[in-house]
Amino acid sequence: MEIRALTTPGHARIHYRGAEWDAVLLDSRLSAGGTGYISGREGNQFKISSQQPQ
């Protein structure tokens, strides 16, 4: 998935499956315009990591 924009520290808007979603960034290396991996979800907010979950 693509990180579209950083919203507040540790949070972003992501693009996933044709829609934009709120996300929590689990890694400080993630930035707008980059890509990450979905490592979980809490309600309708995704948790994003820089490393692929095992």
Side-chain angles (χ1 to χ4, degrees):
M1 46 91 319
E2 177 188 355
I3 300 169
R4 290 284 174 113
L6 301 178
T7 54
T8 58
H11 293 83
R13 292 288 290 172
I14 63 167
H15 185 258
Y16 176 65
R17 292 192 175 192
E20 288 204 6
W21 301 87
D22 289 323
V24 175
L25 303 178
L26 303 176
D27 191 325
S28 62
R29 294 178 284 181
L30 296 166
S31 61
T35 57
Y37 298 95
I38 295 171
S39 63
R41 189 181 69 165
E42 187 172 313
N44 62 351
Q45 193 171 60
F46 287 97
K47 295 180 180 182
I48 308 302
S49 174
S50 63
Q51 298 198 2
Q52 190 170 15
Q54 296 184 9

